[in-house]
Amino acid sequence: MADYTPIAEIPKILNELRTTFQSGKTRPLEWRKQQLRQLARFAQENVEPIAECLRLDLGKPRLEVLVGEIAPIVQRCLHVADNLDEWAKPEVAPVHDWQAGWKARTERHPKGVALVISPWNYPMILSMQPVYGAIAAGCCVALKVSEVSSHFASFVAANLTKYLDPSAFRVILGGVPEITKILELKWDHIFYTGNGKVGRIIAAAAAKHLTPITLELGGKSPAIVDATADIPVTARRILFGKCTNAGQICVAPDYILAEESIVKPLVEALKQRLTEMFPEGALASASISRIVSDAHFARLKALLSSTKGKIVAGGNWDTEPGKRGFEPTVVVDVKDGDSLLSEELFGPILPIVTVRNLDEAIAFVNSRDHPLTLYAFSNNPENKAKILSSTMSGGVNFNDTVAQLSLDDVPFGGVGESGYGRQVCRYGFEDFSYLRPVIDVPYEEEKFNGARYAPFTPEAEAFFAAGINVEIPR
């Protein structure tokens, strides 16, 4: 990995970015659109080196890099650039008749210098998605790339500012000492993607400066399967979400809640689909990522080794040092309190919890932290409506997994333990900007103003009392 950013340089980087922001350079919409197009070029012109970095860091298949990392950045940067004029228009505010001449409006203004702290599992899109939101809003950005995906981090540090204006955008490399220094400083917005434990540390540091923050966290996203579900298609779609990036994705289906009448056919469908996906075996397949580090690999092995459930598919891993392949593994008879239900798995292990009915599944979900995404497989509209009205989650996806990430014009984010704030296209632009109400009261309009000045008179009191003495519907 390239050398870490010297700690003494980090405050200088912030000061340089703040100087740029205060100069007004980032405010013109045309400048923002040009930077968005440059970020699209960065992704478009560096497909091969980015794919190679992610192969080295994660063993990530090239197809997953193209579909999940690079293409969305190219397309969304251009989408945001094309729509920015419309999104940034001031919104005329409705007013009372006596305020008609005030030119009341709401404008969106950039928050200032933003800090983006990105994770290792989807290092391209989860770095650049908040960055393009900040660009659209007119912010400067310091990007702290995860040191875990070291090849990608080095590449971004060496190449991103060949495309983006280096006076407005900087990359910081480092580990705990560097991020500790970063969090001592006052930023104007912090965007963090990762886990709740670190999210709390970042939120506490931000609170010292009253810095607004977006937390994009994970959690245990359940997949409810009721007795009306199409079992073969359900198995295929759940495994797609669980095997993408070897389950190292914040919206992976973490566990299944299956009605007892369909557990057996669901298990058989999952086993059949795994054979179809990896005919040569997952450990020999180039179509599934590897676990990112020895520490994460050891964690997954320990979780699987300590489960009291029964492994019915998979269960093996690479024994050769450094390879870190892990078979997609289905585990049944998993009970509340099991090791596989204790933390977000973030790997290709799929526990199945048997429930008697939908009500029990909903109660199970509601007894835990609100998930980032709730998956539910059903052909029953009443069951779908009940799930929506009886649970809380960042998002809901019926009858598929991960597909919600492909949508450009819906917000993405969590609730409660799964985070707060929203991103993707317009919602990223809004996240890094703030609403600024503006009025311009003409000097000649003194009917209202005349009534508010002392000395107060009965006529003035009657003028304002008219707003109180109104009929209130019962």
Side-chain angles (χ1 to χ4, degrees):
M1 182 170 178
D3 292 340
Y4 284 178
T5 303
I7 290 177
E9 291 296 313
I10 294 172
K12 296 178 184 178
I13 290 172
L14 173 57
N15 290 336
E16 290 166 4
L17 293 174
R18 195 170 300 287
T19 297
T20 298
F21 179 75
Q22 291 173 348
S23 75
K25 184 177 189 176
T26 66
R27 290 180 178 269
L29 294 182
E30 288 305 316
W31 185 90
R32 302 185 207 179
K33 288 188 280 187
Q34 189 267 344
Q35 293 297 301
L36 287 164
R37 293 175 185 129
Q38 283 296 102
L39 185 55
R41 289 189 182 94
F42 168 72
Q44 184 184 69
E45 294 177 4
N46 291 285
V47 169
E48 298 310 323
I50 291 171
E52 177 62 9
C53 286
L54 298 189
R55 184 191 70 79
L56 293 170
D57 287 334
L58 288 149
K60 188 171 286 195
R62 189 173 187 275
L63 179 65
E64 287 192 12
V65 175
L66 298 179
V67 173
E69 300 267 21
I70 297 176
I73 294 302
V74 174
Q75 294 163 5
R76 289 174 177 172
C77 284
L78 298 179
H79 178 67
V80 173
D82 289 344
N83 288 278
L84 187 56
D85 287 322
E86 182 65 27
W87 296 345
K89 282 181 180 178
E91 298 178 16
V92 176
V95 296
H96 298 291
D97 290 344
W98 52 273
Q99 300 164 325
W102 291 13
K103 301 178 183 176
R105 62 193 185 274
T106 300
E107 300 179 353
R108 287 199 169 272
H109 286 251
K111 289 181 178 176
V113 180
L115 169 66
V116 173
I117 305 172
S118 63
W120 52 262
N121 60 320
Y122 276 80
M124 177 66 176
I125 191 166
L126 296 182
S127 295
M128 302 309 158
Q129 187 147 274
V131 167
Y132 76 62
I135 292 173
C139 295
C140 294
V141 180
L143 171 62
K144 165 61 178 72
V145 195
S146 173
E147 71 280 10
V148 176
S149 48
S150 59
H151 294 88
F152 178 80
S154 296
F155 180 80
V156 170
N159 292 281
L160 184 62
T161 53
K162 295 177 182 177
Y163 292 82
L164 298 183
D165 187 333
S167 72
F169 307 101
R170 300 288 292 276
V171 178
I172 298 175
L173 298 181
V176 173
E178 289 74 19
I179 195 66
T180 299
K181 183 61 181 180
I182 288 169
L183 293 176
E184 291 175 0
L185 305 176
K186 179 177 173 57
W187 305 87
D188 299 311
H189 189 90
I190 298 175
F191 192 111
Y192 167 74
T193 303
N195 62 62
K197 180 180 179 181
V198 177
R200 284 177 167 81
I201 295 171
I202 292 171
K208 294 178 182 178
H209 300 290
L210 297 180
T211 298
I213 183 169
T214 302
L215 292 178
E216 204 63 82
L217 308 177
K220 296 182 74 64
S221 294
I224 297 173
V225 184
D226 76 10
T228 72
D230 183 318
I231 297 302
V233 176
T234 294
R236 183 181 301 118
R237 293 181 179 181
I238 288 178
L239 283 175
F240 169 74
K242 181 53 99 172
C243 293
T244 296
N245 200 32
Q248 299 168 113
I249 176 172
C250 60
V251 294
D254 194 272
Y255 62 96
I256 294 175
L257 293 164
E259 289 195 64
E260 55 188 351
S261 63
I262 53 94
V263 170
K264 185 174 180 180
L266 178 60
V267 168
E268 291 306 311
L270 290 167
K271 291 164 67 175
Q272 180 179 347
R273 180 56 187 154
L274 283 171
T275 300
E276 294 168 354
M277 292 173 69
F278 310 111
E280 71 276 59
L283 298 183
S285 177
S287 295
I288 187 169
S289 298
R290 270 42 186 173
I291 306 306
V292 68
S293 70
D294 291 340
H296 285 278
F297 192 53
R299 180 184 63 85
L300 289 173
K301 290 190 291 184
L303 285 171
L304 190 59
S305 297
S306 58
T307 181
K308 293 181 171 57
K310 178 183 177 183
I311 297 173
V312 292
N316 300 307
W317 50 74
D318 276 326
T319 56
E320 183 179 335
K323 293 189 72 173
R324 297 193 300 272
F326 204 107
E327 283 186 335
T329 300
V330 179
V331 187
V332 298
D333 299 332
V334 178
K335 302 293 192 296
D336 198 3
D338 192 271
S339 61
L340 299 183
L341 299 177
S342 64
E343 61 184 66
E344 184 179 9
L345 295 174
F346 226 65
I349 304 172
L350 185 59
I352 299 179
V353 178
T354 301
V355 293
R356 288 170 294 178
N357 50 44
L358 181 61
D359 288 337
E360 188 175 323
I362 290 173
F364 193 95
V365 172
N366 288 340
S367 68
R368 285 155 172 77
D369 295 331
H370 304 315
L372 181 56
T373 298
L374 173 60
Y375 298 110
F377 293 81
S378 174
N379 271 320
N380 186 323
E382 293 180 357
N383 284 355
K384 292 180 182 180
K386 188 172 190 177
I387 289 167
L388 276 177
S389 64
S390 304
T391 61
M392 288 183 66
S393 61
V396 177
N397 185 341
F398 287 113
N399 296 335
D400 205 352
T401 62
V402 183
Q404 70 274 19
L405 299 183
S406 66
L407 297 170
D408 293 338
D409 295 307
V410 299
F412 178 80
V415 59
E417 285 288 322
S418 53
Y420 45 81
R422 292 295 182 265
Q423 64 172 312
V424 179
C425 295
R426 178 169 189 159
Y427 301 97
F429 159 72
E430 293 177 350
D431 202 48
F432 284 95
S433 57
Y434 72 96
L435 291 172
R436 192 178 193 184
V438 180
I439 63 171
D440 185 353
V441 184
Y443 279 117
E444 59 270 19
E445 289 202 9
E446 281 293 272
K447 181 179 179 181
F448 162 72
N449 292 339
R452 69 183 178 176
Y453 299 138
F456 301 136
T457 66
E459 292 78 14
E461 185 171 318
F463 178 84
F464 290 110
I468 300 171
N469 300 323
V470 296
E471 184 177 350
I472 300 174
R474 294 189 180 276

